[in-house]
Amino acid sequence: MAVINTEGIVIKQFDLGEADKIITFYTKDYGIIRAVAKGVRKGKNRLSGIVLPFSYNNITVYQGRSSLGRINHLNNIYTFTKLREDLTKMAYASFMAEIVDKVGLESDPNQILFSLLLASFHKILIKESEEIKYVELAFKILILSILGYKPEIKQCVSCKNEILKISTKKYIFDIKYGGLLCNNCTRSEYTYNENRDSISEGSLQIIETILEYGIKSLDKIIISKRQYEELDRIINKFLFYHLDLKLKSLDFLNMIKDLG
Ligand SMILES: [Zn+2]
């Protein structure tokens, strides 16, 4: 039996039998770990009340032959209480946790992904409701980059020529090929294509800043309503085109956005 000590964020949990729960962690050193929290629902276990959704913890897990381990010890590093108490924050945190659950792998750590989730949760915590959507947008752009779908905004995805930026111009973003098309390549193909969308220079700069500085870039950039709508439309198409994601949390998130 292996003993695993690491840091883990609770990204999913469900009930097992009458007293237990199965917890999915995204961990710093091992990627996804699934483990049973014995007796937590009966309140008889020292884990009761501290295995919390979205919490960031030091964990010790006993791992037998199966991929399902058993939590031996857990202590909260950060509880992220507001992510459970505020419905808007909860909707965004659920969406991000579910994406990490879908794209994360067992026994295959990705510390950039781990840090992104942790940094995003911290940002959701401190941002006002109307600004959390920018955290989600940056999270999606960075997830694409981590998974090998970094939006190509410097050179043409077809001919590889550098795209010269002129501030007044609109550019063509090709979802399928994952980036900008130059004028020549746009013209040489049939112009109508549902996988193409126009994007402004300002929006391209926002993508570039987010890719360069990560989630903390949100402290220094200002995103207009028009830029946000343009970017969110393109990034959503891009994300769902390349990643086969069926997300339970998406309806909840869209409902919260409609209310807001
Ligand atoms: Zn080209």
Side-chain angles (χ1 to χ4, degrees):
M1 185 177 278
V3 180
I4 291 169
N5 286 300
T6 185
E7 295 168 17
I9 304 164
V10 175
I11 55 172
K12 190 161 89 179
Q13 53 178 307
F14 58 90
D15 295 346
L16 176 72
E18 283 190 2
D20 307 340
K21 275 187 177 183
I22 294 180
I23 311 294
T24 306
F25 296 98
Y26 196 73
T27 68
K28 191 176 178 183
D29 304 303
Y30 300 88
I32 297 259
I33 285 183
R34 293 188 175 82
V36 178
K38 283 283 213 189
V40 278
R41 282 160 52 231
K42 292 273 179 178
K44 291 175 187 161
N45 187 299
R46 65 190 184 287
L47 293 173
S48 298
I50 58 168
V51 187
L52 301 162
F54 314 127
S55 61
Y56 167 42
N57 314 283
N58 279 313
I59 58 171
T60 305
V61 171
Y62 288 165
Q63 193 89 54
R65 280 198 198 129
S66 81
S67 68
L68 191 63
R70 182 165 62 81
I71 303 169
N72 183 55
H73 180 79
L74 179 146
N75 74 283
N76 302 132
I77 300 170
Y78 212 94
T79 57
F80 289 117
T81 305
K82 271 192 192 165
L83 301 189
R84 293 182 299 280
E85 291 179 349
D86 177 313
L87 212 55
T88 301
K89 292 180 193 293
M90 184 198 285
Y92 282 97
S94 302
F95 174 77
M96 292 175 188
E98 193 179 4
I99 290 190
V100 171
D101 182 45
K102 290 273 162 41
V103 304
L105 299 168
E106 286 183 28
S107 309
D108 189 2
N110 185 328
Q111 295 198 356
I112 299 173
L113 181 58
F114 178 82
S115 300
L116 172 63
L117 184 63
L118 200 54
S120 301
F121 279 1
H122 275 291
K123 269 283 177 276
I124 296 175
L125 205 65
I126 59 172
K127 288 282 182 191
E128 299 293 332
S129 293
E130 62 273 17
E131 290 188 332
I132 300 176
K133 61 180 185 282
Y134 304 136
V135 184
E136 183 216 350
L137 174 66
F139 176 85
K140 290 184 289 196
I141 291 170
L142 293 163
I143 276 277
L144 279 163
S145 172
I146 288 170
L147 297 174
Y149 300 100
K150 182 175 167 182
E152 177 54 70
I153 53 174
K154 301 215 157 135
Q155 59 179 32
C156 172
V157 287
S158 180
C159 70
K160 309 294 177 201
N161 280 337
E162 190 189 346
I163 305 270
L164 297 169
K165 303 279 167 51
I166 305 158
S167 63
T168 51
K169 195 175 168 297
K170 282 273 189 180
Y171 297 84
I172 299 297
F173 192 96
D174 190 297
I175 305 294
K176 186 174 169 190
Y177 295 108
L180 297 182
L181 271 180
C182 73
N183 285 343
N184 285 341
C185 293
T186 309
R187 264 190 242 112
S188 66
E189 296 179 47
Y190 179 50
T191 48
Y192 174 75
N193 185 328
E194 62 175 8
N195 288 322
R196 288 184 190 164
D197 219 319
S198 69
I199 186 166
S200 63
E201 162 69 4
S203 293
L204 290 174
Q205 274 176 9
I206 290 167
I207 294 180
E208 194 172 344
T209 308
I210 289 171
L211 286 172
E212 187 166 350
Y213 298 103
I215 287 290
K216 64 177 184 292
S217 65
L218 295 173
D219 296 335
K220 57 174 124 189
I221 50 176
I222 295 167
I223 306 176
S224 71
K225 185 170 184 287
R226 188 184 52 75
Q227 285 167 334
Y228 170 74
E229 286 168 358
E230 179 176 80
L231 280 168
D232 203 50
R233 183 182 69 243
I234 292 172
I235 294 300
N236 277 340
K237 274 200 221 171
F238 193 9
L239 189 75
F240 288 99
Y241 183 91
H242 291 284
L243 305 177
D244 184 24
L245 293 173
K246 291 186 182 59
L247 303 173
K248 288 183 198 153
S249 58
L250 196 57
D251 287 346
F252 178 40
L253 179 60
N254 287 335
M255 192 184 80
I256 289 289
K257 282 183 177 174
D258 287 346
L259 289 173

